């Protein structure tokens, strides 16, 4: 039996960066909100039911009776939704699915590695951990091209100031050496960064989310560092022309 989509109007559009927006969707009253942070929905516009794209949810299931997806103006279907969706626009949504989720045991530390918009499911995870007051030790390592590309910066930094179990580090790949306004990490995610920032190298589960090239490089790096397959989980947004591919390395 085919999975049925659900009509959900956009109730709010939030400009996150110059080319990234978060859209808040209102599910029907009987929508099952028992989903897990890190899962995704599949979206299409009613006038083009055959063109769909999967989006990790950037909201937490405990936020309220709504869903949020964060979309970047980057070409193709994604740009079309970014440009036409506004308050009142109805999207057709295939309900939440996916296995890109936090460990069942909240005592297991995690390292969340992302590139670009790949950070969005980590917002869902972080909100959930805070809302549930879970003891999970989290290190969030986020790679962007330039500081203007950073999404959810304030929201990721705020809990780190009051909870020593949370860490948030940014690395920029295209800030020129002579630019002294940026005092964070520079360059692509590398083994030295991972080893230095890892919350617990012997126990942690390592997550990677982003474009296909980002996933390919980070999962290979983690494998080459000797991490066992069961402790490396990825979410590949660039696989098969915009589809998503999820799994364990």
């Amino acid at each position: 039996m085919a999975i049925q989509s659900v009509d959900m109007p956009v109730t709010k559009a939030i400009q996150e960066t110059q080319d990234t927006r978060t859209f808040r969707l209102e599910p029907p009253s009987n929508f099952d909100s028992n989903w897990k942070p890190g899962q995704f929905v599949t979206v299409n516009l009613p006038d083009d039911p055959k063109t769909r794209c999967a989006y990790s949810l950037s909201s937490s299931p405990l936020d309220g009776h709504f869903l949020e997806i964060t979309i970047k103006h980057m070409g193709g279907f994604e740009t079309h939704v970014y440009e036409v969706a506004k308050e009142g626009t109805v999207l057709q949504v295939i309900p939440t699915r996916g296995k890109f989720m936090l460990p069942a045991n909240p005592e297991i530390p995690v390292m969340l590695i992302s590139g670009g918009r790949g950070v969005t499911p980590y917002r869902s995870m972080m909100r959930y951990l805070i809302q549930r007051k879970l003891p999970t030790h989290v290190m969030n390592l986020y790679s962007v091209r330039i500081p203007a590309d950073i999404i959810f910066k304030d929201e990721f930094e705020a809990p780190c100031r009051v909870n020593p179990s949370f860490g948030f580090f940014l690395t920029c790949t295209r800030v020129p050496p002579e630019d002294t306004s940026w005092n964070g990490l520079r360059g692509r995610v590398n083994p030295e960064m991972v080893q230095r920032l890892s919350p617990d190298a012997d126990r942690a589960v390592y997550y990677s989310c982003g474009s296909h090239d980002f996933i390919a490089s980070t999962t290979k790096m983690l494998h080459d560092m000797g991490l066992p397959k069961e402790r490396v989980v990825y979410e590949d947004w660039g696989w098969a022309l915009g589809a998503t591919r999820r799994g364990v390395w």
Side-chain angles (χ1 to χ4, degrees):
M1 180 182 295
I3 300 174
Q4 297 298 311
S5 62
V6 179
D7 287 350
M8 296 189 190
V10 175
T11 60
K12 194 173 184 179
I14 304 161
Q15 196 74 37
E16 304 289 358
T17 69
Q18 62 182 358
D19 61 359
T20 306
R21 288 179 187 153
T22 293
F23 295 93
R24 181 172 294 184
L25 310 178
E26 181 181 355
S29 59
N30 62 348
F31 181 80
D32 183 5
S33 60
N34 188 30
W35 52 275
K36 303 296 184 183
Q39 291 190 303
F40 69 99
V41 292
T42 304
V43 172
N44 68 272
L45 292 163
D47 61 353
D48 188 8
K50 293 184 178 180
T51 304
R52 296 173 172 172
C53 191
Y55 295 103
S56 294
L57 289 163
S58 53
S59 56
S60 161
L62 301 180
D63 283 344
H65 194 67
F66 62 82
L67 306 176
E68 287 183 344
I69 56 176
T70 301
I71 296 178
K72 187 177 178 68
H73 191 289
M74 56 186 301
F77 176 76
E78 190 152 19
T79 289
H80 182 51
V81 175
Y82 179 97
E83 291 178 342
V84 306
K86 56 185 182 298
E87 188 173 332
T89 300
V90 175
L91 302 181
Q92 293 181 331
V93 180
I94 293 176
T96 49
R97 295 178 290 167
K99 299 180 180 179
F100 190 72
M101 297 180 289
L102 291 164
N105 180 358
E107 299 285 346
I108 295 175
V110 297
M111 186 165 193
L112 309 177
I113 305 171
S114 60
R117 193 172 56 84
V119 78
T120 56
Y122 300 155
R123 182 193 192 220
S124 176
M125 293 177 178
M126 288 296 297
R127 282 189 172 187
Y128 182 81
L129 292 172
I130 293 167
Q131 290 160 339
R132 289 285 310 277
K133 297 181 170 62
L134 295 175
T136 310
H137 189 177
V138 182
M139 189 60 64
N140 190 343
L141 176 58
Y142 181 20
S143 174
V144 295
R145 296 173 304 167
I146 57 175
D149 293 335
I150 300 168
I151 311 170
F152 309 136
K153 181 176 185 289
D154 292 341
E155 185 165 350
F156 284 128
E157 287 183 338
C160 300
R161 292 192 284 268
V162 296
N163 190 332
S165 292
F166 296 149
F168 179 55
F169 290 87
L170 293 155
T171 183
C172 289
T173 61
R174 296 188 186 177
V175 175
E178 63 273 14
D179 184 352
T180 58
S181 65
W182 175 251
N183 57 10
L185 299 170
R186 295 173 185 248
R188 298 181 182 276
V189 173
N190 59 54
E192 189 276 331
M193 290 180 190
V194 173
Q195 289 167 348
R196 179 161 62 89
L197 301 175
S198 175
D200 186 336
D202 294 328
R203 298 177 58 237
V205 175
Y206 295 78
Y207 290 75
S208 181
C209 185
S211 69
H212 178 62
D213 288 344
F214 182 85
I215 297 302
S217 64
T218 54
T219 51
K220 182 180 185 303
M221 174 194 70
L222 294 168
H223 175 72
D224 290 345
M225 290 172 63
L227 288 163
K229 294 180 179 180
E230 63 272 14
R231 289 172 52 206
V232 178
V233 185
Y234 64 85
E235 182 91 310
D236 188 341
W237 285 357
W239 187 264
L241 301 178
T244 56
R245 182 183 183 220
R246 301 164 165 81
V248 176
W249 174 265

